[in-house]
Amino acid sequence: GMTLLTLSASLHQLKPQCSEKDVCHPTGLQTGVFYMGLYLIALGTGGIKPCVSSFGADQFDDSDEVEKKHKSSFFNWFYFSINIGALVASTVLVWIQTNVGWGWGFGIPAVAMAVAVVSFFSGTRLYRNQRPGGSPLTRICQVLVASFRKFSVQVPDDKSLLYETAEEESAVRGSRKLDHTKQLSFFDKAAVETQSDRIKGSVNAWRLCTVTQVEELKSIVRLLPILATGIIFTTVYSQMGTLFVLQGNTMDLHLGSSFEIPSASLSLFDTISVIFWVPIYDRIIVPCARRFTGHKNGFTQLQRMAIGLIISIFAMLAAGTLEVARLRMVKKHGLYELKHIPMSIFWQVPQYFIIGCAEVFTFVGQLEFFYEQAPDAMRSLCSALSLATVALGNYLSTMLVNIVADVSTRHGNPGWIPDNLNYGHLHYFFWLLAALSVFNLGGYLLVAKWYTYKKPIGTGIGPSTHTTP
Protein backbone atom coordinates (compact mmCIF):
# COMPACT_ATOMS: atom_id res chain seq x y z
CA GLY A 1 0.00 0.00 0.00
CA MET A 2 2.74 2.48 0.94
CA THR A 3 4.63 1.53 -2.22
CA LEU A 4 1.61 2.41 -4.37
CA LEU A 5 1.24 5.76 -2.59
CA THR A 6 4.94 6.44 -3.13
CA LEU A 7 4.60 5.65 -6.84
CA SER A 8 1.47 7.80 -7.15
CA ALA A 9 3.39 10.74 -5.66
CA SER A 10 6.62 10.15 -7.59
CA LEU A 11 5.96 8.84 -11.12
CA HIS A 12 4.90 11.43 -13.66
CA GLN A 13 2.37 9.03 -15.21
CA LEU A 14 0.64 8.53 -11.85
CA LYS A 15 0.73 12.15 -10.64
CA PRO A 16 -2.34 14.21 -11.59
CA GLN A 17 -1.95 17.48 -13.44
CA CYS A 18 -2.70 20.45 -11.17
CA SER A 19 -3.44 24.08 -11.99
CA GLU A 20 -1.87 27.07 -10.30
CA LYS A 21 -4.66 27.12 -7.71
CA ASP A 22 -3.87 23.53 -6.66
CA VAL A 23 -6.92 22.17 -8.44
CA CYS A 24 -5.97 18.71 -9.71
CA HIS A 25 -7.53 16.63 -12.47
CA PRO A 26 -6.57 12.97 -11.93
CA THR A 27 -7.24 10.32 -14.55
CA GLY A 28 -9.06 7.09 -13.77
CA LEU A 29 -5.75 5.18 -13.54
CA GLN A 30 -4.23 7.74 -11.16
CA THR A 31 -7.29 7.71 -8.92
CA GLY A 32 -7.42 3.91 -8.97
CA VAL A 33 -3.76 3.51 -7.97
CA PHE A 34 -4.13 6.06 -5.18
CA TYR A 35 -7.23 4.47 -3.66
CA MET A 36 -5.82 0.99 -4.10
CA GLY A 37 -2.86 2.07 -1.97
CA LEU A 38 -5.17 3.46 0.72
CA TYR A 39 -7.33 0.33 0.78
CA LEU A 40 -4.28 -1.95 1.00
CA ILE A 41 -2.98 0.08 3.94
CA ALA A 42 -6.39 -0.20 5.63
CA LEU A 43 -6.46 -3.97 4.98
CA GLY A 44 -2.94 -4.42 6.31
CA THR A 45 -3.65 -2.29 9.37
CA GLY A 46 -6.77 -4.36 10.10
CA GLY A 47 -4.63 -7.49 10.01
CA ILE A 48 -1.72 -6.14 12.04
CA LYS A 49 -3.36 -4.22 14.87
CA PRO A 50 -5.47 -6.96 16.50
CA CYS A 51 -2.75 -9.59 16.06
CA VAL A 52 0.55 -7.90 16.89
CA SER A 53 -0.21 -7.21 20.57
CA SER A 54 -1.65 -10.71 21.07
CA PHE A 55 1.30 -12.34 19.31
CA GLY A 56 3.76 -10.31 21.38
CA ALA A 57 2.04 -11.29 24.64
CA ASP A 58 2.02 -14.95 23.52
CA GLN A 59 5.83 -14.92 23.78
CA PHE A 60 5.53 -14.87 27.59
CA ASP A 61 4.99 -18.17 29.40
CA ASP A 62 2.10 -17.99 31.88
CA SER A 63 3.53 -20.93 33.84
CA ASP A 64 6.64 -18.86 34.62
CA GLU A 65 5.88 -16.23 37.29
CA VAL A 66 8.72 -13.97 36.16
CA GLU A 67 7.59 -13.99 32.53
CA LYS A 68 3.97 -13.57 33.60
CA LYS A 69 4.92 -10.43 35.54
CA HIS A 70 6.83 -9.03 32.57
CA LYS A 71 3.85 -9.62 30.26
CA SER A 72 1.92 -6.83 31.97
CA SER A 73 4.80 -4.42 31.25
CA PHE A 74 4.83 -5.58 27.63
CA PHE A 75 1.49 -3.90 26.92
CA ASN A 76 2.78 -0.63 28.40
CA TRP A 77 5.93 -0.59 26.27
CA PHE A 78 4.06 -1.81 23.20
CA TYR A 79 1.80 1.24 23.40
CA PHE A 80 4.86 3.38 24.13
CA SER A 81 6.55 2.19 20.90
CA ILE A 82 3.40 2.97 18.89
CA ASN A 83 3.48 6.54 20.15
CA ILE A 84 7.19 6.90 19.40
CA GLY A 85 6.28 6.06 15.80
CA ALA A 86 3.40 8.55 15.91
CA LEU A 87 5.78 11.22 17.22
CA VAL A 88 8.19 10.68 14.33
CA ALA A 89 5.33 10.62 11.81
CA SER A 90 3.75 13.84 13.09
CA THR A 91 7.04 15.76 13.20
CA VAL A 92 9.80 14.47 10.92
CA LEU A 93 7.58 12.99 8.19
CA VAL A 94 5.21 15.97 8.16
CA TRP A 95 8.21 18.28 7.73
CA ILE A 96 9.55 16.12 4.88
CA GLN A 97 6.16 16.00 3.14
CA THR A 98 5.79 19.77 3.42
CA ASN A 99 9.34 20.86 2.56
CA VAL A 100 10.84 18.04 0.48
CA GLY A 101 7.94 16.31 -1.26
CA TRP A 102 5.22 13.69 -0.95
CA GLY A 103 7.33 11.11 -2.76
CA TRP A 104 9.89 11.15 0.06
CA GLY A 105 7.13 11.51 2.64
CA PHE A 106 5.53 8.24 1.51
CA GLY A 107 8.77 6.54 0.46
CA ILE A 108 10.47 6.67 3.86
CA PRO A 109 7.63 4.86 5.72
CA ALA A 110 7.43 2.37 2.83
CA VAL A 111 11.13 1.52 3.34
CA ALA A 112 10.57 1.44 7.12
CA MET A 113 7.76 -1.09 6.65
CA ALA A 114 9.97 -3.23 4.41
CA VAL A 115 12.68 -3.22 7.10
CA ALA A 116 10.04 -4.11 9.72
CA VAL A 117 8.81 -7.07 7.66
CA VAL A 118 12.37 -8.38 7.21
CA SER A 119 13.05 -7.90 10.93
CA PHE A 120 9.85 -9.74 11.84
CA PHE A 121 10.55 -12.78 9.67
CA SER A 122 14.20 -12.92 10.78
CA GLY A 123 13.01 -13.89 14.26
CA THR A 124 10.73 -16.72 13.07
CA ARG A 125 12.84 -19.48 14.62
CA LEU A 126 12.73 -17.77 18.04
CA TYR A 127 8.98 -17.26 18.37
CA ARG A 128 6.55 -19.24 20.48
CA ASN A 129 3.80 -20.11 18.03
CA GLN A 130 0.30 -20.92 19.19
CA ARG A 131 -1.52 -23.48 17.11
CA PRO A 132 -4.51 -21.96 15.27
CA GLY A 133 -7.79 -23.11 16.78
CA GLY A 134 -9.92 -22.77 13.67
CA SER A 135 -12.60 -20.17 13.07
CA PRO A 136 -13.88 -18.68 16.36
CA LEU A 137 -17.01 -17.46 14.59
CA THR A 138 -17.84 -21.03 13.58
CA ARG A 139 -17.54 -22.24 17.19
CA ILE A 140 -19.71 -19.37 18.40
CA CYS A 141 -22.39 -20.20 15.82
CA GLN A 142 -22.26 -23.88 16.78
CA VAL A 143 -23.02 -23.04 20.43
CA LEU A 144 -25.86 -20.70 19.43
CA VAL A 145 -27.42 -23.25 17.06
CA ALA A 146 -27.08 -26.12 19.54
CA SER A 147 -28.56 -23.99 22.37
CA PHE A 148 -31.64 -23.00 20.38
CA ARG A 149 -32.10 -26.52 19.07
CA LYS A 150 -32.31 -27.66 22.71
CA PHE A 151 -34.49 -24.79 23.85
CA SER A 152 -36.79 -27.11 25.79
CA VAL A 153 -34.01 -29.31 27.20
CA GLN A 154 -33.45 -29.03 30.96
CA VAL A 155 -29.89 -28.30 32.11
CA PRO A 156 -28.89 -30.79 34.86
CA ASP A 157 -28.12 -29.46 38.35
CA ASP A 158 -24.92 -31.53 38.36
CA LYS A 159 -22.71 -29.60 35.94
CA SER A 160 -20.26 -32.50 35.72
CA LEU A 161 -22.87 -34.17 33.48
CA LEU A 162 -22.32 -31.54 30.80
CA TYR A 163 -20.32 -32.75 27.81
CA GLU A 164 -16.54 -32.30 27.84
CA THR A 165 -13.73 -34.28 26.29
CA ALA A 166 -12.07 -36.84 28.56
CA GLU A 167 -8.58 -35.91 27.35
CA GLU A 168 -6.48 -33.40 29.28
CA GLU A 169 -6.21 -31.22 26.18
CA SER A 170 -9.19 -29.18 25.03
CA ALA A 171 -11.12 -30.11 21.90
CA VAL A 172 -10.39 -26.55 20.73
CA ARG A 173 -6.84 -26.53 19.39
CA GLY A 174 -4.57 -23.93 20.92
CA SER A 175 -6.76 -23.45 23.98
CA ARG A 176 -6.85 -24.59 27.58
CA LYS A 177 -10.04 -26.11 28.91
CA LEU A 178 -12.35 -23.64 30.64
CA ASP A 179 -14.17 -24.42 33.87
CA HIS A 180 -17.95 -24.05 33.97
CA THR A 181 -19.43 -20.75 35.21
CA LYS A 182 -22.99 -20.23 36.45
CA GLN A 183 -23.89 -17.11 34.46
CA LEU A 184 -25.62 -17.24 31.05
CA SER A 185 -26.89 -20.75 31.81
CA PHE A 186 -29.07 -20.83 28.67
CA PHE A 187 -25.97 -21.60 26.60
CA ASP A 188 -25.28 -24.64 28.82
CA LYS A 189 -28.02 -26.39 26.85
CA ALA A 190 -25.51 -26.78 24.01
CA ALA A 191 -23.44 -29.07 26.28
CA VAL A 192 -26.37 -31.27 27.38
CA GLU A 193 -26.00 -34.62 25.63
CA THR A 194 -29.09 -36.19 24.05
CA GLN A 195 -29.57 -39.35 22.00
CA SER A 196 -29.69 -37.46 18.67
CA ASP A 197 -26.35 -35.72 19.22
CA ARG A 198 -24.22 -38.56 17.91
CA ILE A 199 -24.27 -39.79 14.33
CA LYS A 200 -22.75 -43.25 13.98
CA GLY A 201 -20.76 -42.75 17.16
CA SER A 202 -19.30 -39.35 16.22
CA VAL A 203 -20.44 -36.07 17.80
CA ASN A 204 -22.29 -33.57 15.63
CA ALA A 205 -20.66 -30.23 16.55
CA TRP A 206 -23.84 -28.34 15.58
CA ARG A 207 -25.87 -30.31 18.13
CA LEU A 208 -23.44 -30.92 21.00
CA CYS A 209 -20.64 -28.61 22.17
CA THR A 210 -18.06 -29.00 24.92
CA VAL A 211 -18.15 -26.96 28.13
CA THR A 212 -15.02 -25.16 26.95
CA GLN A 213 -16.72 -24.15 23.73
CA VAL A 214 -19.76 -22.88 25.65
CA GLU A 215 -17.53 -20.95 28.03
CA GLU A 216 -15.78 -19.35 25.05
CA LEU A 217 -19.08 -17.81 23.99
CA LYS A 218 -19.87 -16.79 27.58
CA SER A 219 -16.49 -15.04 27.80
CA ILE A 220 -17.22 -13.05 24.65
CA VAL A 221 -20.70 -12.07 25.88
CA ARG A 222 -19.30 -10.96 29.25
CA LEU A 223 -16.76 -8.76 27.48
CA LEU A 224 -19.40 -6.90 25.45
CA PRO A 225 -20.63 -4.58 28.28
CA ILE A 226 -17.01 -3.65 29.07
CA LEU A 227 -16.54 -3.05 25.36
CA ALA A 228 -19.61 -0.80 25.24
CA THR A 229 -18.34 1.42 28.05
CA GLY A 230 -15.20 2.08 26.01
CA ILE A 231 -17.23 3.80 23.27
CA ILE A 232 -17.82 6.98 25.29
CA PHE A 233 -14.13 7.13 26.14
CA THR A 234 -13.15 6.96 22.47
CA THR A 235 -15.77 9.63 21.75
CA VAL A 236 -13.88 11.90 24.16
CA TYR A 237 -10.59 10.80 22.59
CA SER A 238 -11.84 11.65 19.08
CA GLN A 239 -12.34 15.31 20.03
CA MET A 240 -8.60 15.82 19.53
CA GLY A 241 -9.10 15.56 15.80
CA THR A 242 -12.36 17.51 15.62
CA LEU A 243 -13.61 20.09 18.12
CA PHE A 244 -10.22 20.67 19.77
CA VAL A 245 -8.94 21.67 16.33
CA LEU A 246 -11.89 24.01 15.73
CA GLN A 247 -11.36 25.56 19.15
CA GLY A 248 -7.65 26.01 18.44
CA ASN A 249 -8.36 27.67 15.07
CA THR A 250 -9.98 30.60 16.90
CA MET A 251 -6.92 31.22 19.09
CA ASP A 252 -3.51 32.83 18.55
CA LEU A 253 -1.50 30.34 16.51
CA HIS A 254 1.83 32.15 16.73
CA LEU A 255 4.91 30.47 18.15
CA GLY A 256 7.32 33.38 18.37
CA SER A 257 6.97 36.40 16.14
CA SER A 258 6.63 34.78 12.72
CA PHE A 259 5.94 31.04 12.93
CA GLU A 260 2.32 29.83 13.06
CA ILE A 261 1.60 26.37 14.41
CA PRO A 262 -1.33 24.48 12.80
CA SER A 263 -4.03 23.82 15.40
CA ALA A 264 -4.14 20.12 14.44
CA SER A 265 -0.45 19.83 15.37
CA LEU A 266 -1.26 20.20 19.05
CA SER A 267 -2.26 16.53 19.12
CA LEU A 268 1.50 16.10 19.29
CA PHE A 269 1.19 16.90 23.00
CA ASP A 270 -1.11 13.90 23.43
CA THR A 271 1.63 11.71 21.98
CA ILE A 272 4.24 13.35 24.20
CA SER A 273 1.95 12.81 27.20
CA VAL A 274 1.70 9.07 26.47
CA ILE A 275 5.49 8.84 26.07
CA PHE A 276 5.86 10.64 29.39
CA TRP A 277 3.27 8.67 31.36
CA VAL A 278 4.09 5.10 30.25
CA PRO A 279 7.50 4.98 32.02
CA ILE A 280 6.02 6.82 35.03
CA TYR A 281 3.21 4.28 35.25
CA ASP A 282 5.38 1.21 34.72
CA ARG A 283 8.33 2.21 36.92
CA ILE A 284 6.78 4.39 39.64
CA ILE A 285 2.97 4.08 39.89
CA VAL A 286 2.82 0.27 39.64
CA PRO A 287 5.47 -0.44 42.33
CA CYS A 288 3.85 2.13 44.66
CA ALA A 289 0.35 0.77 44.06
CA ARG A 290 1.59 -2.79 44.57
CA ARG A 291 2.56 -1.95 48.16
CA PHE A 292 -1.01 -0.87 48.96
CA THR A 293 -3.08 -3.28 46.88
CA GLY A 294 -0.88 -6.37 47.02
CA HIS A 295 -1.71 -7.00 43.35
CA LYS A 296 1.25 -8.03 41.23
CA ASN A 297 0.38 -5.41 38.59
CA GLY A 298 -0.47 -2.67 41.08
CA PHE A 299 -4.05 -2.44 39.82
CA THR A 300 -6.34 -4.97 38.26
CA GLN A 301 -7.07 -4.26 34.60
CA LEU A 302 -10.63 -3.22 35.47
CA GLN A 303 -9.35 -0.77 38.11
CA ARG A 304 -6.83 0.63 35.65
CA MET A 305 -9.47 1.27 33.01
CA ALA A 306 -11.73 2.93 35.61
CA ILE A 307 -8.95 5.37 36.53
CA GLY A 308 -8.56 6.27 32.86
CA LEU A 309 -12.31 6.90 32.54
CA ILE A 310 -12.15 9.26 35.53
CA ILE A 311 -9.19 11.14 34.06
CA SER A 312 -11.00 11.57 30.73
CA ILE A 313 -13.78 13.48 32.52
CA PHE A 314 -11.21 16.06 33.62
CA ALA A 315 -10.04 16.42 30.00
CA MET A 316 -13.53 17.53 28.98
CA LEU A 317 -13.78 19.81 32.02
CA ALA A 318 -10.46 21.41 31.07
CA ALA A 319 -11.60 21.92 27.46
CA GLY A 320 -14.91 23.40 28.59
CA THR A 321 -13.24 25.71 31.11
CA LEU A 322 -10.85 27.00 28.44
CA GLU A 323 -13.77 27.68 26.11
CA VAL A 324 -15.58 29.64 28.85
CA ALA A 325 -12.44 31.75 29.39
CA ARG A 326 -12.07 32.26 25.62
CA LEU A 327 -15.69 33.42 25.22
CA ARG A 328 -15.34 35.79 28.17
CA MET A 329 -12.43 37.45 26.40
CA VAL A 330 -14.47 37.65 23.19
CA LYS A 331 -17.41 39.23 25.02
CA LYS A 332 -15.30 41.61 27.11
CA HIS A 333 -13.41 43.07 24.13
CA GLY A 334 -16.06 42.60 21.44
CA LEU A 335 -13.92 40.25 19.35
CA TYR A 336 -16.82 38.37 17.74
CA GLU A 337 -15.63 38.90 14.16
CA LEU A 338 -11.92 38.40 14.90
CA LYS A 339 -10.62 35.18 13.36
CA HIS A 340 -7.87 34.62 15.96
CA ILE A 341 -8.40 36.13 19.39
CA PRO A 342 -5.30 37.15 21.45
CA MET A 343 -5.22 33.97 23.56
CA SER A 344 -2.38 31.53 22.91
CA ILE A 345 -3.31 28.16 21.46
CA PHE A 346 -0.93 26.59 23.95
CA TRP A 347 -3.64 26.98 26.60
CA GLN A 348 -5.01 23.82 24.95
CA VAL A 349 -1.98 21.78 25.97
CA PRO A 350 -3.44 20.66 29.35
CA GLN A 351 -6.50 19.03 27.77
CA TYR A 352 -4.32 17.13 25.29
CA PHE A 353 -1.95 16.11 28.07
CA ILE A 354 -4.81 14.86 30.27
CA ILE A 355 -6.21 12.73 27.45
CA GLY A 356 -2.75 11.22 26.91
CA CYS A 357 -2.65 10.26 30.58
CA ALA A 358 -6.13 8.72 30.32
CA GLU A 359 -4.98 6.68 27.31
CA VAL A 360 -2.19 5.07 29.31
CA PHE A 361 -4.72 3.83 31.84
CA THR A 362 -7.72 2.97 29.66
CA PHE A 363 -6.40 1.99 26.22
CA VAL A 364 -3.43 -0.01 27.55
CA GLY A 365 -5.56 -1.54 30.29
CA GLN A 366 -8.13 -2.47 27.65
CA LEU A 367 -5.48 -4.16 25.52
CA GLU A 368 -4.30 -6.26 28.44
CA PHE A 369 -7.80 -7.00 29.74
CA PHE A 370 -9.18 -8.23 26.42
CA TYR A 371 -6.07 -10.37 25.92
CA GLU A 372 -6.22 -11.95 29.38
CA GLN A 373 -9.97 -12.51 29.47
CA ALA A 374 -10.32 -13.76 25.91
CA PRO A 375 -10.36 -17.52 25.40
CA ASP A 376 -6.90 -18.69 24.35
CA ALA A 377 -7.95 -19.35 20.74
CA MET A 378 -9.93 -16.07 20.42
CA ARG A 379 -7.40 -13.48 21.56
CA SER A 380 -6.95 -11.78 18.20
CA LEU A 381 -10.74 -11.64 17.75
CA CYS A 382 -11.18 -9.98 21.16
CA SER A 383 -8.34 -7.53 20.44
CA ALA A 384 -10.14 -6.62 17.22
CA LEU A 385 -13.35 -6.06 19.19
CA SER A 386 -11.55 -3.71 21.59
CA LEU A 387 -10.16 -1.74 18.64
CA ALA A 388 -13.68 -1.50 17.19
CA THR A 389 -14.55 0.91 20.01
CA VAL A 390 -12.39 3.53 18.28
CA ALA A 391 -14.57 3.40 15.17
CA LEU A 392 -17.78 3.29 17.19
CA GLY A 393 -16.62 6.24 19.29
CA ASN A 394 -15.98 8.31 16.18
CA TYR A 395 -19.42 7.44 14.81
CA LEU A 396 -21.01 8.39 18.13
CA SER A 397 -19.12 11.70 18.15
CA THR A 398 -20.41 12.50 14.66
CA MET A 399 -23.95 11.56 15.65
CA LEU A 400 -23.83 13.74 18.78
CA VAL A 401 -22.53 16.72 16.81
CA ASN A 402 -25.33 16.32 14.26
CA ILE A 403 -28.00 16.01 16.95
CA VAL A 404 -26.66 18.99 18.89
CA ALA A 405 -26.40 21.09 15.71
CA ASP A 406 -29.97 20.20 14.74
CA VAL A 407 -31.51 20.85 18.17
CA SER A 408 -29.50 23.95 19.15
CA THR A 409 -30.09 25.82 15.86
CA ARG A 410 -33.88 25.74 16.09
CA HIS A 411 -35.81 29.04 16.13
CA GLY A 412 -32.97 30.87 14.40
CA ASN A 413 -30.40 30.37 17.17
CA PRO A 414 -26.72 30.17 16.12
CA GLY A 415 -26.39 26.85 17.95
CA TRP A 416 -23.67 25.41 20.13
CA ILE A 417 -21.20 24.85 17.29
CA PRO A 418 -21.74 27.54 14.61
CA ASP A 419 -19.24 28.34 11.85
CA ASN A 420 -18.06 31.29 13.96
CA LEU A 421 -17.44 29.76 17.39
CA ASN A 422 -17.33 33.24 18.94
CA TYR A 423 -21.14 33.25 18.69
CA GLY A 424 -21.49 29.65 19.89
CA HIS A 425 -21.45 27.63 23.07
CA LEU A 426 -18.85 24.95 22.38
CA HIS A 427 -18.32 24.55 26.12
CA TYR A 428 -21.86 23.14 26.39
CA PHE A 429 -20.81 20.26 24.15
CA PHE A 430 -17.76 19.61 26.31
CA TRP A 431 -19.99 19.67 29.42
CA LEU A 432 -22.30 17.21 27.65
CA LEU A 433 -19.39 14.82 27.00
CA ALA A 434 -18.25 15.21 30.62
CA ALA A 435 -21.77 14.33 31.82
CA LEU A 436 -21.97 11.34 29.48
CA SER A 437 -18.57 10.23 30.76
CA VAL A 438 -19.82 10.40 34.36
CA PHE A 439 -22.86 8.24 33.50
CA ASN A 440 -20.61 5.93 31.51
CA LEU A 441 -18.29 5.59 34.52
CA GLY A 442 -21.26 4.66 36.70
CA GLY A 443 -22.35 2.00 34.20
CA TYR A 444 -18.78 0.72 33.95
CA LEU A 445 -18.48 0.35 37.74
CA LEU A 446 -21.70 -1.70 37.83
CA VAL A 447 -20.56 -3.91 34.96
CA ALA A 448 -17.09 -4.35 36.47
CA LYS A 449 -18.57 -5.24 39.88
CA TRP A 450 -20.57 -8.12 38.43
CA TYR A 451 -17.96 -9.26 35.91
CA THR A 452 -17.00 -12.93 36.18
CA TYR A 453 -13.44 -13.75 35.21
CA LYS A 454 -12.80 -16.76 32.99
CA LYS A 455 -11.58 -19.90 34.74
CA PRO A 456 -8.94 -21.74 32.70
CA ILE A 457 -8.03 -25.24 33.84
CA GLY A 458 -4.24 -25.37 34.09
CA THR A 459 -1.61 -22.63 34.46
CA GLY A 460 -0.37 -22.52 30.90
CA ILE A 461 -1.26 -23.53 27.40
CA GLY A 462 1.59 -25.97 27.43
CA PRO A 463 3.93 -27.46 24.86
CA SER A 464 1.08 -29.05 22.93
CA THR A 465 -0.06 -25.64 21.69
CA HIS A 466 3.07 -23.52 21.97
CA THR A 467 6.09 -24.65 20.05
CA THR A 468 9.54 -23.20 19.66
CA PRO A 469 10.88 -24.36 16.30
Side-chain angles (χ1 to χ4, degrees), residues 72-327:
S72 180
S73 288
F74 162 78
F75 290 100
N76 295 326
W77 296 107
F78 169 75
Y79 201 75
F80 178 88
S81 65
I82 290 175
N83 280 272
I84 290 291
L87 180 65
V88 173
S90 59
T91 54
V92 177
L93 286 181
V94 168
W95 185 89
I96 290 173
Q97 289 166 353
T98 304
N99 297 279
V100 180
W102 287 98
W104 283 98
F106 288 137
I108 291 174
V111 172
M113 281 302 302
V115 172
V117 170
V118 172
S119 175
F120 174 77
F121 283 108
S122 67
T124 299
R125 295 180 61 82
L126 304 175
Y127 298 141
R128 287 188 174 117
N129 297 298
Q130 183 173 332
R131 290 188 304 177
S135 170
L137 297 179
T138 300
R139 296 199 300 277
I140 289 173
C141 291
Q142 286 173 341
V143 175
L144 291 172
V145 170
S147 298
F148 283 101
R149 276 181 168 175
K150 299 176 181 178
F151 186 84
S152 59
V153 172
Q154 186 71 27
V155 177
D157 293 332
D158 185 359
K159 305 307 177 186
S160 64
L161 298 177
L162 298 176
Y163 176 70
E164 183 58 277
T165 56
E167 293 81 6
E168 182 178 348
E169 187 176 347
S170 168
V172 180
R173 291 178 301 168
S175 179
R176 292 168 290 184
K177 284 185 177 180
L178 294 174
D179 202 4
H180 178 266
T181 57
K182 296 179 180 179
Q183 289 79 12
L184 304 169
S185 59
F186 172 79
F187 297 120
D188 291 339
K189 296 177 183 290
V192 177
E193 189 169 1
T194 62
Q195 293 181 348
S196 61
D197 291 336
R198 295 180 182 271
I199 301 176
K200 296 181 179 180
S202 62
V203 174
N204 183 347
W206 292 91
R207 289 184 174 273
L208 181 63
C209 304
T210 64
V211 170
T212 295
Q213 197 172 337
V214 171
E215 290 301 319
E216 280 188 332
L217 176 58
K218 288 184 181 182
S219 296
I220 297 296
V221 173
R222 282 193 289 262
L223 287 173
L224 293 180
I226 301 291
L227 178 80
T229 58
I231 297 174
I232 294 293
F233 178 82
T234 52
T235 300
V236 170
Y237 174 79
S238 70
Q239 302 313 305
M240 289 192 299
T242 54
L243 296 185
F244 282 13
V245 176
L246 293 179
Q247 185 186 46
N249 280 336
T250 67
M251 305 174 76
D252 184 5
L253 305 178
H254 284 91
L255 179 62
S257 58
S258 58
F259 181 75
E260 287 192 2
I261 181 171
S263 58
S265 297
L266 255 68
S267 61
L268 177 68
F269 288 98
D270 166 72
T271 305
I272 293 173
S273 176
V274 172
I275 294 172
F276 171 80
W277 281 109
V278 165
I280 296 295
Y281 179 86
D282 195 74
R283 299 303 182 191
I284 298 177
I285 296 177
V286 168
C288 290
R290 191 182 292 135
R291 295 176 185 175
F292 293 96
T293 64
H295 193 275
K296 65 181 186 301
N297 297 331
F299 304 102
T300 67
Q301 293 126 16
L302 290 173
Q303 290 171 342
R304 180 176 183 174
M305 287 189 285
I307 294 171
L309 294 179
I310 294 170
I311 294 172
S312 70
I313 296 171
F314 289 98
M316 289 297 96
L317 294 177
T321 302
L322 176 62
E323 184 63 13
V324 169
R326 194 189 69 82
L327 290 177

Side-chain angles (χ1 to χ4, degrees), residues 31-61:
T31 302
V33 171
F34 176 76
Y35 279 103
M36 179 63 72
L38 291 180
Y39 289 139
L40 286 175
I41 290 172
L43 179 63
T45 302
I48 291 173
K49 279 196 170 183
C51 297
V52 66
S53 59
S54 298
F55 183 76
D58 282 345
Q59 306 311 303
F60 297 88
D61 188 356

